[in-house]
Amino acid sequence: MRTFVPACLLALAAPLCLAQNLASADASSGPTAAPKKPISFDVSAIDKTADPCTDFYQYACGNWKKDNPIPADQVRWGRFNELSDRNNYLLYTELKVAADAPKTPLQKKYGDYFAACMNVALVDSLGAKPLQPELAMIEGLKSNKELAALNIALFKEHGGGELLGVGVSQDQKDSSKQILSTGQGGLSLPDRDYYLNPDARFVKIRAQYVDHVTKMFVLLGDTPEKAATEADNVMRIEVALAKGSMDRVEMRDPAKRYHIMTIAEMQKLTPDYNWPQFLAGIGMGSVPTVNVSSPGFFTTVNTVLDTESLSSLKSYLRWHTLHGAAPLLSAPFQEENFAFFSATLQGQKEEQPRWKRCTRLTDGALGEAVGQDWVKQNFPPDAKDNMENLVHALEAALAQDIAQLPWMSPETKVEAKKKLDSIRDKIGYPAHWRDYSKLEVKRDDLLGNVQRNEIFEYNRNLSKYGKPVDETEWGMTPPTVNAYYNPPQNDINFPAGILQPPFFDNSKDPAVNFGAIGVVIGHEMTHGFDDQGAKYDLHGNVNQWWTNDDLAKFKDRTECEAKEYDGFEVAPGQNLNGHLTLGENTADNGGIRIAFQALQSVLAKEGKDAEEAKIDGYTPAQRFFISFGQVWCENKTEQAARVGAKTDPHSSGQWRVKGVVQNFDEFGKAFGCKVGQPMMPASGGCRVW
């Protein structure tokens, strides 16, 4: 289990397994046409009937939103989706060739993985049969206290396990060490709030969820009566687990998820779970201590093991086995899974074509195998060089920003500059590709391939224990349209997938690129100094490098942002959670200032000014802000917006734009706004960096 999630530009879906939503039966059909290539700075997307000083998001994105309704197979459609869709298509063409006529052993491996996923006829003919060995192991459980032994077998044979497990992560007090950690989980709904919130909407969702679980058990072969009983068992246990889980805001605090315990101390928290047996069974028997990120969850799990009947526990275990594998089974399981988790919860009307889902599945499992060939075709060396130059320009701008901060003392500025100078830049793809030679792939075994991949990754993770940290390792695959900052390693990571239009385009003027990819770069750098990142020093250790007075000022300023974003509505009656989104909001607000400052430096070297040299009728400053705004053009279902407000540490597109520009006076200057207009409030807005 990972106890730390890197801060990134976009929310990453929290997968139930690597095969999220592999539903429907459009068989092996591929795309009918290549998606159009996104363009940077789209003049046609601008709604010139809107006042940029009143609603800049509508101004920058109004026509785009009108011309780009949400496709039936999506719950959100934005500029990220446009590029991701094209990258996925380019990846598909590579996988199709590898599946049909591989030229290398590596191509055969990922080609077979893709082919197994695309073989709908075989998957449908098997029904739930591939799941039977795992279900038989659960049925053989003789006592709740045997869960540790069962988890050993599940991890070894199927790559899974339930309720309690461990993984390796960096020690947040000594980032040079890799330690064993354990966290919380065990829920199926998007967030603990879905189990505990008394509002009518959540009550209805809980009823729909129980109905869904019942239907799934019936598909598995249970009688309706037994299925209903099992669904009630599942719901009761998951409600208990939700009550014992920390909420998402608490989990953002490193201090609250760091509790080093001896094995004996862990055992006291969960006397009904045999930790020595479990750790020995997975080859970790000699480990003296573990970081227990959520001790309250441990206590809750033990209560469940102590009070629930064996049959109830089996219901829960059977459900999570079925739930995780449902997208990999025959059409009835896939369709019912989609009906609740995608249609009901997210508002998605149709399932995506299978070729898209199989492409993502293969990228998720063998991303650094597929990525080796993908970058050769789609990320030339000069793109990497140009990106490095942009990063260096942004680093210089952040150094200048730190030096000029009026609220920070010279002592803290020195430490902040040290941390900035220590940030490692990782651009495009890994320096060393992952070795998949030990991963077995079969062309006729979809579920088996996924499970063997999970075993492979789990063993790869455990093998890191006690070894030096590999600072070259990546957490995203090369075609991914995203970016992230990793506090324990103090590095910024930009996959090749995002270094294309609309984010980066060599044919465009600097204002456009600094407004798009420049703000992305600044965003990731600022994560090193947001409310979480600021708790880590230049070595990646949780350590206060601030003076007490500066830390108090910093907290006051971040609290201003939290309260501000609390007031932004994303759906009727549903506002953002300013503390959940605080890190991303801080990065957004800091990133745009850094990028604008870097642009000014570039223009000054060229003897230009941010208010000169109009292109398409806009000054460089205006083009910068429009380019920034258009990156976040999106349409989203109301259901998805509501789920996001509860689970996503990122604000929605419109507030990532409007919230940022109303806090930055250079925007008002660029568009001639008057103080007191919505995008230039009299208060001056909030500012941290």
Side-chain angles (χ1 to χ4, degrees), residues 261-264 284-290 465:
M261 295 185 180
T262 65
I263 307 306
M284 295 283 114
S286 62
V287 175
T289 60
V290 177
Y465 179 79

Side-chain angles (χ1 to χ4, degrees), residues 94 106 110 366-374 433-434 436:
E94 180 183 324
L106 198 58
Y110 65 69
L366 290 145
E368 290 192 21
V370 183
Q372 294 179 45
D373 293 324
W374 190 88
W433 297 107
R434 189 167 299 171
Y436 294 98

Side-chain angles (χ1 to χ4, degrees), residues 9-10 57 61 64-65 76-80 503 515 519-520 523 588 626-635 650-654 656-657:
L9 187 70
L10 273 181
Y57 187 68
C61 294
W64 187 96
K65 285 171 60 65
R76 172 190 180 274
W77 189 251
R79 305 307 306 282
F80 278 81
F503 299 94
V519 176
V520 172
H523 171 104
D588 283 343
I626 292 172
S627 181
F628 157 70
Q630 288 188 345
V631 163
W632 297 108
C633 296
E634 68 175 11
N635 285 304
H650 307 76
S651 298
S652 59
Q654 68 163 321
R656 296 190 79 157
V657 174

